[in-house]
Amino acid sequence: MKIWMNDNLVDQADATVSVFDHGLLYGDGVFEGIRVYNGAIFQATAHLERLFLSAERIALTIGYTHDELIAAMDQAIAANGITTGYIRLVVTRGVGTLGLNPNHCPKSTTFIIADAIHLYTEEMYTNGINVITAKRLRTHPEMLPPRVKSLNYLNNILGKLEAIRGGGAEAIMSNSDGNVAEATCDNIFIVKDGAILTPPAEAGILLGITRQIALLIAQRLGYAAREENFTIDAVRNADEVFLTGTAAEIIAVVRLDDAPIGDGTVGPTTTALLSAFREFIDSDEEITYTE
Ligand code: PMP
């Protein structure tokens, strides 16, 4: 596999970062996960918008323009013969000293991995997944804004560990207000009495690109789809629940803590949205990332 790293395509074995890179030492950096469908980068502009906003919020200078990063991603895709796959674009603070001070890191490190992707199995898409209720709360926005897609994923990893220990494919994390925020690496939607709800930005979530598309296509299909807070009890009592994410796309949740949601099968709204999402991919329509 070839990795794009700081301007060059290098063999995977040579794609290494320094032990003094603050991305490694402190999780100091930002990233994006991006799909490739039919040889094209899906929602490249929206992902780059979010990447640059994330970087700005941690005062990190990205050493490339949007266009340069698109060209770099294209190179990484071509070098690995990827037509359908996944790109991981990472910008770290760069090599510095052992202290926290980011000003001692003169140049950010940028690398791009283009690879295949298999997050969930076909069976999980067909039959839906079981998720668990995480005890761990999602990071408070006043501490580290969850809308910053930073290399600090330990909060999410602690949630993921709960999922694994509890036999769930994902963990649903709430915030300190007692409302649901999101899953460890996906956004969450519930369907209740015909309405489609997803937590608002204020719930302390990553503003997912797939979430934005799901809201858009749901509204276009005529559903009452909106951002609104809800609790884990509303998830438990929903007619349908689904998760959205770049890697997950749209996946039905049919059990919470092993208890069925609705009738315990993939519901009609989720199925309709999934097929509309497929059409959206093929339409090549580009969204503008909005906060
Ligand atoms: N929330 C979190 C915490 C995430 O890491 C992700 C991305 N995997 C998402 C939501 C979904 O965002 P997107 O649709 O932009 O991939």
Side-chain angles (χ1 to χ4, degrees):
M1 186 190 296
K2 293 279 187 191
I3 309 293
W4 189 97
M5 189 152 204
N6 301 327
D7 286 321
N8 301 306
L9 278 172
V10 298
D11 285 332
Q12 185 180 331
D14 300 322
T16 52
V17 293
S18 163
V19 292
F20 286 97
D21 193 302
H22 280 211
L24 174 63
L25 285 175
Y26 301 118
D28 186 356
V30 294
F31 76 102
E32 282 294 319
I34 310 171
R35 280 267 184 174
V36 179
Y37 293 113
N38 311 317
I41 305 169
F42 184 60
Q43 307 302 332
T45 311
H47 281 285
L48 289 174
E49 280 291 319
R50 188 171 66 182
L51 180 80
F52 277 79
L53 278 171
S54 290
E56 201 179 300
R57 290 189 169 115
I58 64 163
L60 167 64
T61 306
I62 296 179
Y64 300 93
T65 62
H66 275 222
D67 287 350
E68 286 167 344
L69 288 176
I70 288 178
M73 287 192 278
D74 280 334
Q75 279 184 36
I77 297 168
N80 295 292
I82 303 284
T83 48
T84 297
Y86 180 86
I87 295 169
R88 177 61 58 89
L89 166 55
V90 181
V91 185
T92 79
R93 186 75 67 178
V95 177
T97 57
L98 281 183
L100 288 184
N101 191 342
N103 296 333
H104 292 157
C105 307
K107 188 177 180 298
S108 53
T109 302
T110 306
F111 61 87
I112 298 166
I113 306 168
D115 202 357
I117 176 143
H118 307 284
L119 181 64
Y120 297 124
T121 62
E122 269 312 309
E123 190 274 329
M124 288 164 127
Y125 284 98
T126 311
N127 298 327
I129 56 172
N130 176 48
V131 301
I132 63 111
T133 304
K135 292 190 182 65
R136 174 85 37 190
L137 298 182
R138 189 76 180 91
T139 309
H140 193 286
E142 295 292 329
M143 299 173 179
L144 175 65
R147 71 177 66 183
V148 173
K149 197 164 169 62
S150 85
L151 295 178
N152 261 282
Y153 256 57
L154 270 181
N155 175 245
N156 314 56
I157 289 168
L158 290 174
K160 184 75 182 179
L161 281 172
E162 286 192 56
I164 295 164
R165 288 180 189 132
E170 255 290 8
I172 307 306
M173 304 183 80
S174 291
N175 58 32
S176 54
D177 295 332
N179 289 315
V180 166
E182 59 185 336
T184 68
C185 63
D186 292 318
N187 292 113
I188 183 169
F189 285 73
I190 63 171
V191 183
K192 185 68 180 174
D193 300 329
I196 302 180
L197 309 179
T198 194
E202 300 72 53
I205 58 170
L206 180 79
L207 288 167
I209 309 279
T210 323
R211 169 186 178 276
Q212 201 182 317
I213 295 171
L215 274 171
L216 178 72
I217 59 182
Q219 283 157 0
R220 284 183 186 167
L221 285 174
Y223 290 104
R226 58 183 187 271
E227 298 172 292
E228 193 174 298
N229 278 311
F230 51 82
T231 63
I232 196 72
D233 278 340
V235 178
R236 213 178 303 284
N237 297 320
D239 299 326
E240 295 178 44
V241 176
F242 61 90
L243 305 181
T244 64
T246 293
E249 300 180 316
I250 295 177
I251 189 158
V253 174
V254 293
R255 288 189 305 281
L256 175 64
D257 300 322
D258 290 315
I261 292 170
D263 67 3
T265 67
V266 179
T269 308
T270 307
T271 305
L273 283 174
L274 191 47
S275 87
F277 183 65
R278 289 260 151 260
E279 283 169 26
F280 189 86
I281 291 168
D282 292 336
S283 76
D284 291 333
E285 180 177 341
E286 290 262 346
I287 61 157
T288 308
Y289 172 70
T290 44
E291 295 201 331

